[in-house]
Amino acid sequence: MSPGRGRRAAGLVGPAPPLPAGRYPEGFLFRSKTGAPPMKSLTELRDALRAFAAERDWDQFHSPKNLAIALSVEASELLEHFQWLTEEQSRALSADKTKEVAEEMADVLIYLVRLGDKMGIDLLREAKEKIDMNAKKYPAEAVRGSSRKYTEWLPK
Ligand SMILES: [Mg+2]
């Protein structure tokens, strides 16, 4: 199945999530450094990444293997920001550190969207299916407040 065919691009950007009051300047995380208007969908991001790679003749390097590796590297860079922090410290990053984390999250998203594009995978459809699958595995009434894996509580 071709990704996105016949479907309206699903919006990724909604209202900005609330941030702890007083810790960040208004719009801190969502202000564009370049002044470019914000993207409104994964399709728009996919197309921007296609153009970015084409302009640099980098498409030749974007095999699924290379993109999966790059994605994992960026996920590790994200993780590095939290290494050795306590739970509480991880919830109270400085504004500068939060921005650095946001940039690593962007790297992860970029490589994920690029990988999905190169493999013909509709990420939003797959994510929706996964949520639906997880809702069956973890019925809210059975698991509310528990972090146990479904194999631990499902009847054998
Ligand atoms: Mg990075």
Side-chain angles (χ1 to χ4, degrees), residues 56-102:
R56 289 158 182 80
D57 192 23
W58 284 356
D59 205 56
Q60 59 182 311
F61 306 120
H62 288 178
S63 65
K65 176 192 75 77
N66 284 349
L67 292 169
I69 290 170
L71 170 60
S72 181
V73 169
E74 296 301 340
S76 295
E77 289 178 4
L78 171 62
L79 187 57
E80 191 173 18
H81 287 288
F82 296 102
Q83 189 178 25
W84 311 121
L85 298 187
T86 65
E87 297 281 334
E88 193 50 41
Q89 288 169 331
S90 75
R91 291 188 176 95
L93 300 180
S94 68
D96 285 348
K97 181 60 79 175
T98 300
K99 180 59 178 161
E100 290 174 25
V101 166

Short mmCIF file of all heavy atoms in Angstrom, two decimals, residues 56-102:
data_model
loop_
_atom_site.label_atom_id
_atom_site.label_comp_id
_atom_site.label_asym_id
_atom_site.label_seq_id
_atom_site.Cartn_x
_atom_site.Cartn_y
_atom_site.Cartn_z
N ARG A 56 21.47 18.03 -1.90
CA ARG A 56 22.86 17.68 -1.52
C ARG A 56 23.35 16.39 -2.15
O ARG A 56 24.44 15.92 -1.84
CB ARG A 56 22.94 17.59 0.02
CG ARG A 56 22.82 18.96 0.66
CD ARG A 56 22.36 18.89 2.11
NE ARG A 56 22.21 20.25 2.65
CZ ARG A 56 21.15 21.01 2.42
NH1 ARG A 56 20.14 20.58 1.68
NH2 ARG A 56 21.09 22.25 2.91
N ASP A 57 22.50 15.77 -2.97
CA ASP A 57 22.82 14.47 -3.56
C ASP A 57 23.14 13.45 -2.47
O ASP A 57 24.09 12.66 -2.59
CB ASP A 57 23.98 14.60 -4.56
CG ASP A 57 24.14 13.33 -5.41
OD1 ASP A 57 23.15 12.58 -5.55
OD2 ASP A 57 25.26 13.08 -5.90
N TRP A 58 22.35 13.48 -1.42
CA TRP A 58 22.57 12.56 -0.29
C TRP A 58 21.63 11.36 -0.35
O TRP A 58 21.73 10.46 0.50
CB TRP A 58 22.36 13.28 1.05
CG TRP A 58 23.51 14.16 1.43
CD1 TRP A 58 24.69 14.32 0.76
CD2 TRP A 58 23.58 15.02 2.58
NE1 TRP A 58 25.50 15.22 1.42
CE2 TRP A 58 24.84 15.66 2.55
CE3 TRP A 58 22.71 15.30 3.62
CZ2 TRP A 58 25.24 16.58 3.52
CZ3 TRP A 58 23.11 16.20 4.59
CH2 TRP A 58 24.36 16.83 4.54
N ASP A 59 20.72 11.37 -1.30
CA ASP A 59 19.79 10.24 -1.39
C ASP A 59 20.56 8.92 -1.48
O ASP A 59 20.13 7.90 -0.96
CB ASP A 59 18.88 10.43 -2.61
CG ASP A 59 17.56 9.71 -2.44
OD1 ASP A 59 16.86 9.96 -1.44
OD2 ASP A 59 17.26 8.85 -3.30
N GLN A 60 21.70 8.96 -2.17
CA GLN A 60 22.52 7.76 -2.36
C GLN A 60 22.96 7.14 -1.02
O GLN A 60 23.28 5.95 -0.97
CB GLN A 60 23.75 8.10 -3.20
CG GLN A 60 24.62 9.18 -2.56
CD GLN A 60 25.82 9.57 -3.40
OE1 GLN A 60 26.54 8.72 -3.87
NE2 GLN A 60 26.00 10.88 -3.60
N PHE A 61 23.02 7.95 0.03
CA PHE A 61 23.46 7.44 1.33
C PHE A 61 22.30 6.96 2.21
O PHE A 61 22.53 6.38 3.27
CB PHE A 61 24.24 8.52 2.10
CG PHE A 61 25.38 9.10 1.32
CD1 PHE A 61 25.42 10.46 1.02
CD2 PHE A 61 26.41 8.29 0.87
CE1 PHE A 61 26.47 11.00 0.30
CE2 PHE A 61 27.47 8.83 0.14
CZ PHE A 61 27.50 10.17 -0.15
N HIS A 62 21.09 7.26 1.78
CA HIS A 62 19.93 7.01 2.64
C HIS A 62 19.31 5.64 2.40
O HIS A 62 18.13 5.52 2.06
CB HIS A 62 18.91 8.14 2.48
CG HIS A 62 19.38 9.41 3.11
ND1 HIS A 62 18.67 10.58 3.08
CD2 HIS A 62 20.52 9.70 3.80
CE1 HIS A 62 19.34 11.53 3.72
NE2 HIS A 62 20.47 11.02 4.15
N SER A 63 20.10 4.60 2.56
CA SER A 63 19.56 3.24 2.53
C SER A 63 18.83 3.00 3.85
O SER A 63 19.12 3.66 4.86
CB SER A 63 20.69 2.22 2.40
OG SER A 63 21.51 2.26 3.55
N PRO A 64 17.90 2.06 3.87
CA PRO A 64 17.25 1.74 5.15
C PRO A 64 18.26 1.40 6.24
O PRO A 64 18.11 1.83 7.39
CB PRO A 64 16.36 0.54 4.80
CG PRO A 64 16.00 0.77 3.36
CD PRO A 64 17.26 1.35 2.74
N LYS A 65 19.29 0.66 5.90
CA LYS A 65 20.32 0.31 6.90
C LYS A 65 20.95 1.58 7.48
O LYS A 65 21.03 1.74 8.70
CB LYS A 65 21.41 -0.56 6.26
CG LYS A 65 22.56 -0.88 7.22
CD LYS A 65 23.76 -1.48 6.50
CE LYS A 65 24.55 -0.48 5.71
NZ LYS A 65 25.43 0.40 6.49
N ASN A 66 21.41 2.46 6.61
CA ASN A 66 22.08 3.67 7.10
C ASN A 66 21.14 4.55 7.92
O ASN A 66 21.53 5.14 8.93
CB ASN A 66 22.65 4.48 5.93
CG ASN A 66 23.91 3.85 5.38
OD1 ASN A 66 24.48 2.94 5.98
ND2 ASN A 66 24.34 4.31 4.21
N LEU A 67 19.90 4.64 7.48
CA LEU A 67 18.93 5.48 8.21
C LEU A 67 18.58 4.87 9.56
O LEU A 67 18.44 5.59 10.55
CB LEU A 67 17.68 5.69 7.36
CG LEU A 67 17.91 6.55 6.10
CD1 LEU A 67 16.70 6.47 5.18
CD2 LEU A 67 18.21 8.00 6.47
N ALA A 68 18.47 3.54 9.62
CA ALA A 68 18.18 2.89 10.90
C ALA A 68 19.34 3.09 11.87
O ALA A 68 19.13 3.34 13.07
CB ALA A 68 17.90 1.41 10.69
N ILE A 69 20.56 3.02 11.36
CA ILE A 69 21.73 3.25 12.22
C ILE A 69 21.73 4.70 12.71
O ILE A 69 21.93 4.97 13.90
CB ILE A 69 23.03 2.92 11.46
CG1 ILE A 69 23.15 1.41 11.26
CG2 ILE A 69 24.25 3.47 12.20
CD1 ILE A 69 24.26 0.99 10.32
N ALA A 70 21.51 5.63 11.79
CA ALA A 70 21.50 7.05 12.17
C ALA A 70 20.41 7.32 13.21
O ALA A 70 20.62 8.08 14.17
CB ALA A 70 21.29 7.91 10.93
N LEU A 71 19.27 6.70 13.04
CA LEU A 71 18.17 6.85 14.00
C LEU A 71 18.59 6.37 15.38
O LEU A 71 18.35 7.04 16.40
CB LEU A 71 16.95 6.06 13.49
CG LEU A 71 15.77 5.90 14.44
CD1 LEU A 71 15.20 7.24 14.84
CD2 LEU A 71 14.70 5.06 13.77
N SER A 72 19.25 5.23 15.42
CA SER A 72 19.69 4.67 16.70
C SER A 72 20.75 5.57 17.35
O SER A 72 20.74 5.77 18.57
CB SER A 72 20.24 3.26 16.49
OG SER A 72 20.64 2.70 17.71
N VAL A 73 21.65 6.11 16.55
CA VAL A 73 22.67 7.01 17.08
C VAL A 73 22.02 8.25 17.68
O VAL A 73 22.38 8.69 18.78
CB VAL A 73 23.67 7.40 15.96
CG1 VAL A 73 24.57 8.54 16.42
CG2 VAL A 73 24.50 6.19 15.55
N GLU A 74 21.06 8.80 16.98
CA GLU A 74 20.38 10.00 17.49
C GLU A 74 19.58 9.69 18.76
O GLU A 74 19.52 10.51 19.68
CB GLU A 74 19.48 10.62 16.42
CG GLU A 74 20.23 11.14 15.20
CD GLU A 74 21.26 12.23 15.52
OE1 GLU A 74 21.18 12.86 16.59
OE2 GLU A 74 22.16 12.44 14.68
N ALA A 75 18.97 8.50 18.80
CA ALA A 75 18.24 8.11 20.02
C ALA A 75 19.21 8.00 21.19
O ALA A 75 18.87 8.37 22.32
CB ALA A 75 17.52 6.78 19.79
N SER A 76 20.43 7.54 20.91
CA SER A 76 21.43 7.46 21.98
C SER A 76 21.88 8.85 22.41
O SER A 76 22.14 9.09 23.60
CB SER A 76 22.63 6.64 21.51
OG SER A 76 22.24 5.30 21.29
N GLU A 77 21.99 9.77 21.45
CA GLU A 77 22.35 11.14 21.81
C GLU A 77 21.26 11.75 22.70
O GLU A 77 21.55 12.51 23.63
CB GLU A 77 22.56 11.98 20.54
CG GLU A 77 23.84 11.60 19.81
CD GLU A 77 24.06 12.38 18.52
OE1 GLU A 77 23.26 13.28 18.20
OE2 GLU A 77 25.03 12.06 17.81
N LEU A 78 20.02 11.42 22.41
CA LEU A 78 18.92 11.88 23.26
C LEU A 78 19.06 11.28 24.67
O LEU A 78 18.97 11.98 25.68
CB LEU A 78 17.58 11.46 22.63
CG LEU A 78 16.33 11.65 23.47
CD1 LEU A 78 16.10 13.10 23.82
CD2 LEU A 78 15.12 11.08 22.73
N LEU A 79 19.32 9.98 24.71
CA LEU A 79 19.44 9.29 25.99
C LEU A 79 20.59 9.84 26.82
O LEU A 79 20.50 9.92 28.05
CB LEU A 79 19.65 7.80 25.71
CG LEU A 79 19.64 6.84 26.88
CD1 LEU A 79 18.33 6.94 27.66
CD2 LEU A 79 19.86 5.42 26.38
N GLU A 80 21.66 10.24 26.14
CA GLU A 80 22.84 10.72 26.85
C GLU A 80 22.51 11.92 27.76
O GLU A 80 23.10 12.08 28.81
CB GLU A 80 23.92 11.10 25.84
CG GLU A 80 25.27 11.35 26.47
CD GLU A 80 26.36 11.56 25.44
OE1 GLU A 80 26.05 11.84 24.27
OE2 GLU A 80 27.54 11.44 25.82
N HIS A 81 21.56 12.73 27.34
CA HIS A 81 21.18 13.89 28.16
C HIS A 81 20.60 13.48 29.51
O HIS A 81 20.61 14.26 30.45
CB HIS A 81 20.19 14.78 27.42
CG HIS A 81 20.81 15.56 26.30
ND1 HIS A 81 21.64 16.63 26.51
CD2 HIS A 81 20.73 15.40 24.96
CE1 HIS A 81 22.05 17.12 25.35
NE2 HIS A 81 21.51 16.38 24.39
N PHE A 82 20.06 12.27 29.57
CA PHE A 82 19.41 11.82 30.81
C PHE A 82 20.28 10.86 31.62
O PHE A 82 19.91 10.50 32.74
CB PHE A 82 18.07 11.15 30.48
CG PHE A 82 17.09 12.10 29.85
CD1 PHE A 82 16.86 12.09 28.48
CD2 PHE A 82 16.40 13.02 30.63
CE1 PHE A 82 15.96 12.97 27.90
CE2 PHE A 82 15.50 13.91 30.06
CZ PHE A 82 15.28 13.88 28.69
N GLN A 83 21.40 10.47 31.00
CA GLN A 83 22.26 9.50 31.68
C GLN A 83 22.71 10.05 33.04
O GLN A 83 23.17 11.18 33.13
CB GLN A 83 23.48 9.21 30.80
CG GLN A 83 24.34 8.09 31.29
CD GLN A 83 25.51 7.82 30.34
OE1 GLN A 83 25.94 8.71 29.60
NE2 GLN A 83 26.02 6.62 30.36
N TRP A 84 22.55 9.24 34.05
CA TRP A 84 23.00 9.52 35.43
C TRP A 84 22.10 10.49 36.18
O TRP A 84 22.33 10.77 37.35
CB TRP A 84 24.45 10.02 35.49
CG TRP A 84 25.39 9.19 34.71
CD1 TRP A 84 26.19 9.59 33.69
CD2 TRP A 84 25.66 7.78 34.87
NE1 TRP A 84 26.93 8.54 33.20
CE2 TRP A 84 26.62 7.42 33.92
CE3 TRP A 84 25.17 6.80 35.74
CZ2 TRP A 84 27.09 6.10 33.79
CZ3 TRP A 84 25.63 5.50 35.62
CH2 TRP A 84 26.59 5.18 34.66
N LEU A 85 21.10 11.04 35.54
CA LEU A 85 20.19 11.94 36.26
C LEU A 85 19.25 11.13 37.14
O LEU A 85 18.92 9.98 36.84
CB LEU A 85 19.34 12.77 35.28
CG LEU A 85 20.07 13.72 34.34
CD1 LEU A 85 19.05 14.56 33.58
CD2 LEU A 85 21.06 14.59 35.07
N THR A 86 18.82 11.73 38.22
CA THR A 86 17.75 11.13 39.01
C THR A 86 16.44 11.36 38.28
O THR A 86 16.35 12.18 37.36
CB THR A 86 17.68 11.78 40.40
OG1 THR A 86 17.30 13.15 40.23
CG2 THR A 86 19.00 11.67 41.14
N GLU A 87 15.40 10.65 38.73
CA GLU A 87 14.07 10.86 38.15
C GLU A 87 13.69 12.34 38.25
O GLU A 87 13.20 12.94 37.29
CB GLU A 87 13.03 10.02 38.90
CG GLU A 87 13.22 8.52 38.80
CD GLU A 87 12.73 7.96 37.48
OE1 GLU A 87 11.83 8.56 36.88
OE2 GLU A 87 13.26 6.92 37.07
N GLU A 88 13.93 12.90 39.43
CA GLU A 88 13.54 14.29 39.66
C GLU A 88 14.34 15.24 38.76
O GLU A 88 13.79 16.18 38.19
CB GLU A 88 13.73 14.64 41.14
CG GLU A 88 13.07 15.94 41.55
CD GLU A 88 11.62 16.04 41.10
OE1 GLU A 88 10.87 15.05 41.19
OE2 GLU A 88 11.23 17.13 40.64
N GLN A 89 15.66 15.01 38.65
CA GLN A 89 16.48 15.86 37.78
C GLN A 89 16.01 15.78 36.33
O GLN A 89 16.04 16.78 35.61
CB GLN A 89 17.95 15.43 37.88
CG GLN A 89 18.61 15.80 39.20
CD GLN A 89 19.96 15.13 39.37
OE1 GLN A 89 20.22 14.05 38.85
NE2 GLN A 89 20.85 15.79 40.12
N SER A 90 15.57 14.60 35.91
CA SER A 90 15.13 14.45 34.52
C SER A 90 13.85 15.23 34.24
O SER A 90 13.52 15.52 33.10
CB SER A 90 14.95 12.97 34.16
OG SER A 90 13.76 12.44 34.73
N ARG A 91 13.14 15.55 35.32
CA ARG A 91 11.90 16.33 35.17
C ARG A 91 12.15 17.84 35.29
O ARG A 91 11.22 18.62 35.14
CB ARG A 91 10.88 15.92 36.23
CG ARG A 91 10.33 14.53 36.05
CD ARG A 91 9.19 14.28 37.02
NE ARG A 91 8.60 12.98 36.78
CZ ARG A 91 8.95 11.86 37.45
NH1 ARG A 91 9.83 11.92 38.42
NH2 ARG A 91 8.39 10.72 37.16
N ALA A 92 13.35 18.22 35.58
CA ALA A 92 13.61 19.64 35.87
C ALA A 92 14.83 20.13 35.10
O ALA A 92 15.72 20.75 35.67
CB ALA A 92 13.80 19.83 37.36
N LEU A 93 14.87 19.86 33.80
CA LEU A 93 16.00 20.30 32.99
C LEU A 93 15.98 21.82 32.84
O LEU A 93 14.91 22.43 32.82
CB LEU A 93 15.94 19.65 31.60
CG LEU A 93 15.98 18.12 31.55
CD1 LEU A 93 15.92 17.66 30.09
CD2 LEU A 93 17.20 17.57 32.24
N SER A 94 17.15 22.40 32.71
CA SER A 94 17.22 23.84 32.43
C SER A 94 16.65 24.11 31.04
O SER A 94 16.49 23.20 30.23
CB SER A 94 18.68 24.30 32.48
OG SER A 94 19.38 23.73 31.38
N ALA A 95 16.40 25.38 30.78
CA ALA A 95 15.89 25.75 29.46
C ALA A 95 16.90 25.40 28.37
O ALA A 95 16.54 24.89 27.31
CB ALA A 95 15.58 27.25 29.42
N ASP A 96 18.17 25.65 28.64
CA ASP A 96 19.21 25.32 27.63
C ASP A 96 19.26 23.82 27.39
O ASP A 96 19.36 23.37 26.25
CB ASP A 96 20.58 25.82 28.10
CG ASP A 96 20.73 27.33 27.97
OD1 ASP A 96 19.87 27.96 27.31
OD2 ASP A 96 21.69 27.88 28.54
N LYS A 97 19.21 23.05 28.46
CA LYS A 97 19.28 21.59 28.31
C LYS A 97 18.03 21.07 27.60
O LYS A 97 18.10 20.18 26.76
CB LYS A 97 19.43 20.94 29.69
CG LYS A 97 19.53 19.44 29.67
CD LYS A 97 20.70 18.93 28.87
CE LYS A 97 22.00 19.01 29.63
NZ LYS A 97 23.12 18.40 28.88
N THR A 98 16.89 21.65 27.91
CA THR A 98 15.65 21.24 27.25
C THR A 98 15.73 21.49 25.75
O THR A 98 15.28 20.68 24.94
CB THR A 98 14.45 21.98 27.86
OG1 THR A 98 14.39 21.66 29.25
CG2 THR A 98 13.15 21.58 27.19
N LYS A 99 16.35 22.61 25.39
CA LYS A 99 16.51 22.90 23.96
C LYS A 99 17.43 21.86 23.30
O LYS A 99 17.17 21.42 22.18
CB LYS A 99 17.08 24.32 23.80
CG LYS A 99 17.29 24.74 22.36
CD LYS A 99 16.00 24.71 21.55
CE LYS A 99 16.23 25.20 20.13
NZ LYS A 99 15.16 24.78 19.22
N GLU A 100 18.49 21.49 23.99
CA GLU A 100 19.39 20.46 23.44
C GLU A 100 18.65 19.13 23.27
O GLU A 100 18.83 18.44 22.27
CB GLU A 100 20.60 20.27 24.37
CG GLU A 100 21.55 21.45 24.37
CD GLU A 100 22.67 21.31 25.41
OE1 GLU A 100 22.99 20.17 25.79
OE2 GLU A 100 23.18 22.34 25.85
N VAL A 101 17.84 18.80 24.25
CA VAL A 101 17.05 17.57 24.16
C VAL A 101 16.08 17.66 22.99
O VAL A 101 15.90 16.70 22.23
CB VAL A 101 16.30 17.31 25.49
CG1 VAL A 101 15.22 16.26 25.33
CG2 VAL A 101 17.30 16.90 26.58
N ALA A 102 15.46 18.82 22.83
CA ALA A 102 14.51 19.01 21.73
C ALA A 102 15.20 18.80 20.38
O ALA A 102 14.62 18.22 19.46
CB ALA A 102 13.91 20.42 21.79
#
